[in-house]
Amino acid sequence: MKAVKAGICLMAIMLISGCWGQINFDQLTVVSAIGLDPDKNGMVRVTVQLSNPTLPVAAGGGSQQRRPFVNYDAVGITIQEAIERIQHQAKKSLFFPQTKIVLIGERLARRGLDDHLDYFWREMNQNLNSYVLVSRMPARLALDTAMELEAVPADEWRKYLEGDWKRPLQVDIQMYQFLPRLNQIGHQAVSPGIGPFNKSGKSEIMEIGDTAVFKNDRMVGWLSGEESQIVNWLTDASHSGSIHTDLAKEESVSFSLHSIRAQVTPVLRNGQLSMKVRVKGEAEVLTATVPLHYILENAMLRDVLNQQLESAVEETIDKVFRQYGSDVIGFGEALHRSMPAEWRKRKINWEKELRSLDTDISVSFRIRKSGLLH
């Protein structure tokens, strides 16, 4: 019996987990944001924004506070090499699973990302739910000078992007969506842009707006907020919006749009591929600079609204397909789902197909109400 008991105790000891590979909390520092910029000779500059908790209030009512965050940066041939150098500067282990924002400088985005973003595929401690932003200014400068209501700028940017109250004029994309689309022919990547709202000296309030358009791994241009809104509708990312229409000189009406449904369908006739786009929804009058009689002028308002939206959809598709040669709407993916054999034939020359694609666009909104004034 003694031998049996000893054997049971030995087995129990062997099953007890240890903590040999663990790192103490005081040896960790949380990375809130990662910034990426180009450097000389094809190298990359990496900036990390590290959370820096405040010290406790001192005795006697005085307060001792550090900055709520600190930024470190280093240059390397790869992101991994630069981060290893930053870790030597910080003297702590960098904790990436809580990273909220990956900020890519526009110059690096236009140069191409394939040589660098391999790091995010391979580093298993990265947070693939982090949001991707393209910065109009160097990412390092944006992280250094951003002035927001939240103590750590990356916290406010993430809350804005994931909040229900953000304007439908902005797109949003997370790293797990962004990475595959850099090499996906039938549905290419977009990213919200960020830049200074108003030059104010050393610190700047940042504005998230416009959309960076990618073709493969390179950024090729920008879409305005109104164009971004239409891309959101066509990709089923948003079902609401707004538009300002001009009736005549100094006469205008603003509409709130909701219950928007868009359908993008490939059509093949006699070997000629075209795209049928149908957009439907409801509208409400928000403001008007002229008196409106809802019963008498409903049809006129509806026609003006639908004509302006149809033109806006056509111009946006023309810009992304013909000017940029980028399929950010995912039309290739729609063709692949409905006609897989046709997609296999066309995907090799898909950019050429996009630039010459015919579109059949129809927009139908109905005006439900115009407020309390008639």
Side-chain angles (χ1 to χ4, degrees):
M1 287 299 295
K2 289 182 179 179
V4 172
K5 291 179 180 179
I8 293 172
C9 291
L10 182 60
M11 290 177 65
I13 292 172
M14 292 175 65
L15 292 172
I16 295 174
S17 61
C19 54
W20 296 345
Q22 301 300 312
I23 300 175
N24 293 333
F25 286 118
D26 60 356
Q27 296 176 325
L28 288 175
T29 182
V30 174
V31 177
S32 296
I34 301 173
L36 304 175
D37 290 304
D39 208 83
K40 298 176 182 177
N41 302 319
M43 301 180 80
V44 60
R45 179 176 293 277
V46 179
T47 306
V48 295
Q49 187 172 90
L50 306 178
S51 296
N52 192 8
T54 57
L55 291 170
V57 177
S63 64
Q64 292 179 324
Q65 289 187 332
R66 306 184 186 116
R67 291 177 65 194
F69 65 88
V70 62
N71 295 328
Y72 289 93
D73 69 273
V75 174
I77 298 174
T78 64
I79 294 176
Q80 178 64 39
E81 182 181 357
I83 283 177
E84 288 174 0
R85 292 176 178 173
I86 290 172
Q87 191 148 326
H88 286 298
Q89 298 176 45
K91 304 174 188 67
K92 289 187 177 184
S93 295
L94 304 183
F95 188 72
F96 290 99
Q98 295 297 320
T99 302
K100 299 173 179 65
I101 296 292
V102 176
L103 191 62
I104 302 171
E106 182 178 352
R107 284 182 55 222
L108 180 65
R110 289 186 180 275
R111 193 174 79 178
L113 300 175
D114 261 358
D115 293 340
H116 304 296
L117 295 195
D118 177 75
Y119 167 79
F120 292 95
W121 279 116
R122 299 182 184 277
E123 175 52 60
M124 57 185 176
N125 290 320
Q126 285 296 322
N127 179 15
L128 293 180
N129 288 317
S130 57
Y131 284 88
V132 179
L133 289 167
V134 172
S135 175
R136 289 185 176 271
M137 62 198 304
R140 176 190 178 192
L141 186 60
L143 291 172
D144 282 341
T145 61
M147 180 179 65
E148 306 290 358
L149 291 176
E150 292 276 348
V152 180
D155 292 345
E156 180 155 325
W157 300 341
R158 181 186 178 98
K159 288 178 181 178
Y160 175 80
L161 290 169
E162 67 186 4
D164 294 334
W165 48 271
K166 76 180 179 69
R167 295 190 303 159
L169 276 65
Q170 278 95 44
V171 302
D172 60 70
I173 192 165
Q174 292 171 276
M175 186 59 79
Y176 75 89
Q177 300 165 313
F178 183 76
L179 288 174
R181 291 184 186 173
L182 292 178
N183 294 293
Q184 185 175 339
I185 299 173
H187 194 171
Q188 293 174 318
V190 293
S191 171
I194 188 170
F197 179 76
N198 189 16
K199 296 285 184 180
S200 57
K202 293 183 178 180
S203 298
E204 295 175 356
I205 297 172
M206 294 293 174
E207 179 183 27
I208 297 176
D210 295 347
T211 296
V213 177
F214 285 79
K215 184 169 68 176
N216 301 322
D217 72 315
R218 295 176 185 271
M219 178 185 164
V220 291
W222 292 98
L223 296 178
S224 67
E226 290 72 20
E227 293 163 339
S228 305
Q229 174 176 250
I230 290 168
V231 169
N232 277 337
W233 298 344
L234 299 181
T235 56
D236 201 35
S238 173
H239 305 288
S240 61
S242 61
I243 190 171
H244 177 84
T245 63
D246 294 321
L247 302 179
K249 186 178 180 180
E250 298 182 354
E251 295 181 359
S252 61
V253 180
S254 295
F255 293 93
S256 172
L257 311 175
H258 51 86
S259 303
I260 300 171
R261 291 292 181 269
Q263 186 177 20
V264 178
T265 308
V267 178
L268 188 65
R269 289 193 182 97
N270 301 321
Q272 183 68 36
L273 182 67
S274 62
M275 181 173 68
K276 183 168 72 173
V277 178
R278 298 291 179 264
V279 183
K280 295 182 178 181
E282 296 179 345
E284 296 179 8
V285 176
L286 288 180
T287 58
T289 61
V290 291
L292 293 176
H293 193 290
Y294 178 68
I295 297 174
L296 299 179
E297 298 176 325
N298 179 279
M300 181 271 292
L301 289 174
R302 183 195 61 214
D303 291 344
V304 170
L305 173 64
N306 286 332
Q307 288 170 10
Q308 185 163 329
L309 283 173
E310 188 170 311
S311 296
V313 171
E314 185 176 2
E315 289 169 5
T316 300
I317 291 175
D318 187 74
K319 187 172 185 178
V320 296
F321 282 4
R322 291 170 179 80
Q323 181 178 339
Y324 294 151
S326 175
D327 190 359
V328 298
I329 295 171
F331 182 58
E333 202 171 74
L335 178 62
H336 186 203
R337 286 194 303 267
S338 60
M339 306 176 193
E342 196 66 29
W343 167 247
R344 285 193 293 271
K345 288 192 300 184
R346 296 175 181 268
K347 70 177 182 179
I348 297 174
N349 298 311
W350 190 235
E351 180 184 338
K352 184 178 178 181
E353 293 273 358
L354 286 177
R355 294 185 186 275
S356 60
L357 193 69
D358 289 330
T359 55
D360 174 19
I361 300 169
S362 173
V363 175
S364 177
F365 278 74
R366 68 186 185 96
I367 301 175
R368 291 183 61 241
K369 54 185 178 180
S370 60
L372 300 176
L373 296 176
H374 296 297

